[in-house]
Amino acid sequence: RRTKCGTRQQFLAAVLAVQAAGMQAYADVVFNHKDGADHVERVRAQIVDWNNRNDVRSDWHEIGAWTHFTFPGRGAVHSSMHWHADHFDSLSFNADTNNASRLYRLKDKQFETEVSHEHGNYDYLMACDLDTRHPQVDGELRWWGRCIVDTTGVNGFRIDAVKHIRASFFRDWMNHLRVHFGARELFAVGEHWSGNVADLHDYITSTEGVMSLFDVA
């Protein structure tokens, strides 16, 4: 279906036009969060401090979470996976109060490590934060990577908000795609928004060099 960015055919034509001009086309990848769910689920969560995510501010209690993604317009086309609360580790909107001013960590979930140490742990950025350690999430994102390259012919990826996603996920994800596609280079560059060059080098090292980073500094 047409979006504000155009149609599928216009996108595919743009990729081909870029490549015909002697350049490479990279897909913009947002793996950190999902927004715009279809249904509310009842979950248990605790409030943590925005500025220090290691500081717990409440006991476990029930909230309403927009975490059930069923994709009624898509059905099972491309993917049959439905997303539930268990596929996320944190969120900031309570449907019971229509309030987005508090940060909630979901019960039995921990913030991911191998992320920026800002705010104690900068796993959470916005919306429903993906738990990339969940095997279904990991499997779906690997499938998506294969699918997007197969269907669009892009040469690689610009990856959003990587400092909020564990470095080892991208190490495994990029290695999986490069093994799957064999001879394709699949260049990748990540957005790690930090003025500290040492932070950028540390993240690249943690990914074992599978991606470059923008020179934010």
Side-chain angles (χ1 to χ4, degrees):
R1 297 181 181 180
R2 172 180 286 277
T3 72
K4 64 181 180 181
C5 300
T7 67
R8 172 191 175 97
Q9 288 307 313
Q10 287 174 325
F11 174 71
L12 296 178
V15 171
L16 290 175
V18 167
Q19 293 168 338
M23 297 181 287
Q24 293 194 348
Y26 302 141
D28 190 11
V29 181
V30 183
F31 275 172
N32 182 67
H33 48 271
K34 293 181 76 67
D35 208 353
D38 301 294
H39 305 285
V40 171
E41 296 180 303
R42 307 305 304 173
V43 301
R44 292 186 65 77
Q46 63 179 185
I47 300 169
V48 299
D49 189 272
W50 274 106
N51 297 312
N52 180 4
R53 279 76 187 283
N54 300 316
D55 184 6
V56 176
R57 293 299 185 91
S58 80
D59 293 330
W60 297 107
H61 61 287
E62 187 174 278
I63 66 170
W66 286 97
T67 49
H68 190 191
F69 294 77
T70 61
F71 310 105
R74 181 194 74 187
V77 175
H78 305 303
S79 172
S80 60
M81 179 174 170
H82 288 187
W83 293 67
H84 294 276
D86 192 45
H87 297 129
F88 308 99
D89 56 38
S90 50
L91 50 88
S92 60
F93 188 85
N94 185 349
D96 293 346
T97 61
N98 284 329
N99 190 320
S101 64
R102 291 176 170 172
L103 176 54
Y104 298 92
R105 182 166 60 88
L106 301 182
K107 183 145 178 78
D108 298 324
K109 295 288 185 175
Q110 300 294 328
F111 289 122
E112 293 185 0
T113 56
E114 304 174 69
V115 298
S116 169
H117 299 301
E118 296 173 50
H119 305 298
N121 176 296
Y122 215 174
D123 176 24
Y124 184 82
L125 176 64
M126 62 184 293
C128 297
D129 190 89
L130 269 64
D131 179 4
T132 62
R133 296 161 299 193
H134 193 293
Q136 288 181 322
V137 173
D138 181 71
E140 182 76 351
L141 299 186
R142 290 186 186 212
W143 167 86
W144 181 90
R146 299 192 304 270
C147 180
I148 200 70
V149 174
D150 276 334
T151 58
T152 69
V154 293
N155 305 98
F157 308 98
R158 177 268 180 192
I159 306 175
D160 188 68
V162 298
K163 77 176 186 179
H164 308 283
I165 305 170
R166 62 186 176 91
S168 60
F169 166 77
F170 286 118
R171 177 200 65 202
D172 298 340
W173 187 72
M174 287 303 307
N175 286 335
H176 169 77
L177 294 182
R178 286 171 176 153
V179 168
H180 178 78
F181 288 106
R184 297 196 197 185
E185 177 190 4
L186 292 180
F187 175 78
V189 57
E191 178 224 13
H192 189 302
W193 201 259
S194 173
N196 186 335
V197 174
D199 288 345
L200 306 184
H201 282 293
D202 287 346
Y203 194 86
I204 291 173
T205 299
S206 296
T207 68
E208 298 182 6
V210 299
M211 71 167 71
S212 298
L213 296 180
F214 289 109
D215 186 5
V216 174

